Every structure is written in C-alpha cells, then in structure tokens.
Amino acid sequence: MVERRNKPTALATTPGLPPQPQVNFSHSNSRVTAVLPTGDSVEILLYGATVISWKNRFGTEKLWLSDAAKLDGSKAVRGGIPLVFPVFGTSPDHAATSKLPQHGFARNSRWEFLGKSSSESTGPSDSSVKLDFGLSSATLDDEVKKLWPYTFSLIYSVTLTPENLSTSIVVTNDGDQPIEFQVLMHTYLRISDISKIQVTGLEDSEYIDKVDAAKAKKQSGAVTIAGEVDRVYTPAKGPSSPVVIEEEGETVFSIVRDNLKDVVVWNPWTDKAAGMGDFEPKDGFKNMICVEAGSVKDWITLDPKDAFEGAQTISD
C-alpha cells in the first residue's frame, strides 16, 4: 500500500464549536440553572420565577437568600429576586387589586419555562444565555383568578452574561378592558457590611418614607443605612442613569433600569428582621440591601391588546 504524503487531517484540525451555556433542570424539575462557559451561573425557581442565585465565574454569590427561605413552593421566597405583580404591598383602596395578597400573585404562582436562547459567541467571554418564563390568566390558579379576573399574559426573561444579570418583564393585556397594575423586581443584593454601604444616583430625588408615616421627602447626598429603611424613590436622573451601590467607596453593584421609573431601597434592620419567621440569620440584614427597580408609586394603565415592558440590568 502506497503511503500518502498528505493525509487528510480535517477532523483533527477543524476547530470545534466554542463552549456553549449549559441549562439544566433540578429538584424534580422545580428549578432551572444556567451556567456560562466562564463559570458564571444563575438559578431560577419556577415557583414565582424567582431568581435564587447569581454567581460570578469565581463562584461568588451576588444575591442574598435567607437561610430559612422556603424553596418548596409553600410561600414566597425571602431573598433572591422575587417578582412583585400586580400590586406593590397591599392596596385596600384600589378596587382592582384590593383583594390580592401582599405584593400580588406573581411570586406565589408556578411559572412555565418557555425556553432558552443563547448568543452566537466566538469564545467564552462573550457568551450569554436568556431564559424565558410565562404566566397567564389561562394558567393562573382558579382562586387567584377570582381575585383578579383579567385576561393577561406575562413573559419574564432572565439574561446572564459574564458582566451582568438582566431581568425583564412583558405584560400583555389580552382582554377587552383596561388593566391597572404595579410591578417591581424585589432584588436582595449580598454585601459584606451594611454600615459601609452607600447608594448613589438618588441624589435630589423625591421619595416616600414608609418608615416615617409615608411622608414625602427629598434625598440630599448618598443614601446610607443606619436603621430600618423602606423608601420609594423616583430618581431625578431617570431610569437610564445608574443607581450605584458602593462599599467603602468601591462599586459593588450598578443598576440601570428601562421603563421602570421607581427604585425601592429597603433594609429591615434589627426589629423587623427579628419579627420575620423566614429571615435567617437574624443579623442577616447586615449582609444585604434591597435596591428594587419597579413602577409602584402610581398605577400603570394598559389598554386592551397593548403591552408593557420593563427591565433592569445589574452589573457587578
């Protein structure tokens, strides 16, 4: 047999596809996890479509999750990013949502995983993955339908890149009457020491101080935390200007919003944390701050067949 001088070597030299994000189900298909080739990861509980973990490539957790959080679908999750819809808190004077539980039903409903999409990447550093979740009046629990009898659909998307985590929601009015609602992404950020935190980007902004009889106030300078804080800000600079969380002068998170005009800043501090059965450890308030993008000061009115979209992007 004659030895060929130039043997075909295509199989050996053809470059393989770059590594792709991996998406898996776990815990009896109740959770979806996505891991990028870089090692960044995100985990979402189908109950509430609640993001319960966001880790960077070093495995550092970016979200605060209570040690006593219920992850079995028995109640809303304490920590991560619960989704508030269609009411923020309770609103006994608003007829359409007056019968709903605190923060509405989105965080207490089981969502459907609609699928994933990932970016075309030339290498691990520019890879991303988007996970889509759905909830609608067709899949809503019958008891909840009685409390909020509107025809609607929600698509909630969680997008992970090596640089940031984005969450977006599309609300569609599929019925024949207007819908009024509020929406909020109740993000619990993990920090090292609350006494060393300041939040910038809210200077000169009007806010409602829920700890002080819901008085209207105006922020001067950076926000610092030295006691219970529960404030609804309407940032003076608008959604595209970042709200920045700094720890000892170093930026640890930056949040940019799209079509969500309000920002809630919350920390329960000692007494309130002690009174919440699912808040553990009790001094966990020292390691978390909620900076929540939403539209909650007023009501969004959505006409029949119209859609609303809002989003946040958190960079670390």
Side-chain angles (χ1 to χ4, degrees):
M1 180 177 177
V2 177
E3 192 72 24
R4 293 176 63 183
R5 182 174 295 175
N6 297 312
K7 286 184 178 180
T9 55
L11 291 177
T13 59
T14 301
L17 290 171
Q20 297 299 309
Q22 300 297 310
V23 177
N24 294 295
F25 286 85
S26 66
H27 297 77
S28 302
N29 291 329
S30 66
R31 303 186 197 181
V32 182
T33 303
V35 182
L36 299 183
T38 50
D40 303 81
S41 67
V42 66
E43 185 174 10
I44 300 98
L45 194 67
L46 287 180
Y47 184 78
T50 309
V51 180
I52 57 173
S53 175
W54 168 35
K55 294 178 181 177
N56 66 13
R57 64 186 183 279
F58 304 112
T60 304
E61 181 59 64
K62 296 296 179 179
L63 300 177
W64 186 87
L65 182 69
S66 168
D67 290 348
K70 300 295 185 184
L71 303 179
D72 60 358
S74 60
K75 67 176 297 186
V77 176
R78 176 70 64 192
I81 311 180
L83 183 60
V84 173
F85 176 91
V87 61
F88 174 61
T90 57
S91 189
D93 297 327
H94 185 254
T97 57
S98 62
K99 297 177 182 178
L100 291 175
Q102 176 163 308
H103 292 336
F105 54 76
R107 64 181 189 148
N108 297 312
S109 298
R110 185 179 172 92
W111 291 58
E112 179 185 2
F113 178 59
L114 301 178
K116 66 168 184 173
S117 55
S118 54
S119 63
E120 290 293 330
S121 62
T122 56
S125 61
D126 66 348
S127 63
S128 68
V129 63
K130 180 164 78 83
L131 308 174
D132 294 326
F133 304 87
L135 180 69
S136 71
S137 46
T139 59
L140 204 59
D141 182 82
D142 287 340
E143 291 304 310
V144 178
K145 283 184 190 178
K146 294 176 185 176
L147 303 179
W148 208 67
Y150 296 97
T151 306
F152 71 95
S153 57
L154 307 178
I155 296 178
Y156 184 59
S157 300
V158 178
T159 304
L160 177 68
T161 78
E163 289 79 35
N164 54 54
L165 180 73
S166 297
T167 59
S168 67
I169 188 167
V170 177
V171 183
T172 303
N173 182 352
D174 298 314
D176 55 8
Q177 57 182 316
I179 295 175
E180 289 188 333
F181 66 91
Q182 298 169 326
V183 64
L184 177 102
M185 297 158 187
H186 198 312
T187 308
Y188 289 73
L189 298 169
R190 177 175 287 276
I191 46 122
S192 297
D193 185 349
I194 191 65
S195 69
K196 297 176 181 176
I197 289 291
Q198 67 172 15
V199 182
T200 61
L202 298 174
E203 295 83 357
D204 302 316
S205 300
E206 305 284 343
Y207 69 91
I208 302 298
D209 191 343
K210 296 175 72 177
V211 175
D212 187 14
K215 290 179 182 176
K217 300 181 179 180
K218 190 172 185 177
Q219 182 67 35
S220 60
V223 179
T224 56
I225 313 292
E228 182 187 352
V229 171
D230 192 355
R231 301 173 182 173
V232 181
Y233 285 88
T234 303
K237 296 178 181 177
S240 61
S241 183
V243 175
V244 177
I245 296 90
E246 300 176 357
E247 191 156 3
E248 292 191 294
E250 181 177 332
T251 297
V252 287
F253 296 102
S254 178
I255 303 172
V256 174
R257 294 161 291 125
D258 183 6
N259 206 29
L260 297 173
K261 64 185 183 65
D262 302 319
V263 171
V264 174
V265 178
W266 181 72
N267 184 288
W269 213 250
T270 311
D271 291 347
K272 185 150 281 188
M276 291 187 285
D278 61 353
F279 194 101
E280 291 289 349
K282 291 305 179 187
D283 63 353
F285 67 87
K286 296 176 182 178
N287 305 118
M288 54 75 66
I289 183 170
C290 285
V291 181
E292 314 162 23
S295 284
V296 296
K297 196 172 180 182
D298 299 310
W299 295 91
I300 298 166
T301 300
L302 197 59
D303 289 328
K305 312 309 176 188
D306 277 358
F308 166 90
E309 183 171 3
Q312 67 169 353
T313 299
I314 312 169
S315 305
D316 64 337

